[in-house]
Amino acid sequence: MKKDNYIRFDWAIKRLLRQKANYVILEGFLSELLGEDIRIHSLLESESNQEEADDKYNRVDLLAEDSRKQLIIVEVQNTRELSYFQRMLYGSSKAIVEYIHLGDKYKEVRKVYSINIVYFDLGQGSDYIYHGYTHFIGVHTKDELLLSKRQQSTFSRLYAGDLFPEYYVIRVDEFNQKAVTPLDEWIQYLKTGEIAERPRAKGLREAADILLMDKMTPEDRARYIRHMDNLRIQWDVLTNAREEGLDEGRKEGLEEGRKEGLEEGRKEGLEEGRKEGLEKGRKEAVLQTALNLKRLGVSIEVIAQSTGLSVEEIQCLAD
């Protein structure tokens, strides 16, 4: 496998994959991910899909229209963002609104696929690819709501949920295995920059020929190196901030834990002391009762039965 000589996918999306001659690379990736042959008709522009943004931005958006007029959003996110899921929702909703014209009927609403390639732990899970889509499930019957025959014919879909946006989250850093499937070969490239000598995945063979640093112009190479340096700086800053935050959190946690431990110990000590005091008080009361009965001339056997004390304990009581 070759490494380091290939251009990162986020940079390729921003520059090279926008060229019509290179659509085959992006088509290959999307086809392997979506499980169907995707043919890109054109790339569209939206407010979040502009090339004027400074290279330091870690956000890369690409909005494509395929041959069936479906909209496909591809976004690469290099650094952690708390509200990223909400941003996914906003992005797909905005694409729907931007590409339906005033006066169009609702049947013109596009199907949207939101492809999110993230280089951080988004959510909690053990897989490296997650797929989310809408289901309409019967509350009582548990069946899934189908489109009518006419709707199926019009929209070429089976279920009502098929008309709604679908989301893919590729958690690149969670891929820690050998590439077995063609899709795995793509994920391996996304993570490591490596491409197999004879890739099986659609689009990767073309990527191996096109996405080479050796083929970049001196100007693009300089921009690319600056982009990678900025990413490294961002990672260093965020990593240091995270480690400092963890250290501070540990200190605060230890101090808080010590205080809570002392308070808990005080409470436990008071409770234990209260229990011991009550137990001691009860014992002394029983002994005093037994002594009083003994002074009244009650037999030791009867006192033992009444108080639960042993004969020996009663005999030791001073008159």
Side-chain angles (χ1 to χ4, degrees), residues 283 286 290 302-311 313-314:
K283 183 73 172 180
V286 170
V302 172
I303 296 173
Q305 292 176 0
S306 301
T307 61
L309 296 174
S310 65
V311 172
E313 286 178 308
I314 297 170

Side-chain angles (χ1 to χ4, degrees), residues 190-239:
L190 294 177
K191 180 173 183 177
T192 66
E194 298 174 353
I195 298 179
E197 294 291 341
R198 296 180 179 84
R200 295 170 296 157
K202 296 176 182 178
L204 267 188
R205 184 167 297 176
E206 291 80 2
D209 292 333
I210 296 169
L211 303 184
L212 287 167
M213 290 185 63
D214 295 343
K215 293 187 176 182
M216 299 176 77
T217 65
E219 294 79 9
D220 277 346
R221 182 189 289 268
R223 291 191 189 99
Y224 179 68
I225 292 172
R226 187 171 68 251
H227 170 74
M228 294 302 297
D229 286 341
N230 285 328
L231 282 181
R232 292 188 188 96
I233 291 170
Q234 283 183 353
W235 272 111
D236 288 343
V237 170
L238 291 171
T239 301

Side-chain angles (χ1 to χ4, degrees), residues 123-188:
Q124 298 184 63
S126 57
D127 209 330
Y128 53 94
I129 301 178
Y130 285 88
H131 178 208
Y133 50 98
T134 300
H135 292 281
F136 291 89
I137 305 299
V139 174
H140 302 100
T141 60
K142 306 305 179 186
D143 65 319
E144 186 165 359
L145 183 64
L146 293 167
L147 295 172
S148 69
K149 296 296 183 183
R150 185 177 177 184
Q151 287 172 323
Q152 290 179 26
S153 176
T154 301
F155 304 119
S156 300
R157 305 284 178 177
L158 180 61
Y159 295 101
D162 291 339
L163 300 175
F164 288 72
E166 295 186 29
Y167 300 88
Y168 287 84
V169 175
I170 302 175
R171 303 163 79 233
V172 178
D173 289 344
E174 296 300 315
F175 181 76
N176 293 307
Q177 59 192 55
K178 183 179 179 180
V180 176
T181 67
L183 180 56
D184 284 347
E185 291 182 347
W186 263 105
I187 308 303
Q188 182 172 265

Side-chain angles (χ1 to χ4, degrees), residues 9 12-32 37-45 49 51 62-67 72 74 186 202-207 210-211:
F9 190 67
I13 284 180
K14 191 174 183 180
R15 304 283 178 176
L16 301 178
L17 301 187
R18 294 177 181 273
Q19 301 170 16
K20 195 173 183 65
N22 296 336
Y23 282 2
V24 63
I25 298 175
L26 187 60
E27 288 172 344
F29 168 65
L30 295 174
S31 297
E32 297 291 3
D37 284 332
I38 300 296
R39 292 292 175 264
I40 295 175
H41 178 262
S42 62
L43 298 185
L44 306 174
E45 294 296 339
N49 186 29
E51 291 193 19
L62 183 145
L63 181 60
E65 179 186 55
D66 72 3
S67 56
I72 302 173
V74 181
W186 263 105
K202 296 176 182 178
L204 267 188
R205 184 167 297 176
E206 291 80 2
I210 296 169
L211 303 184

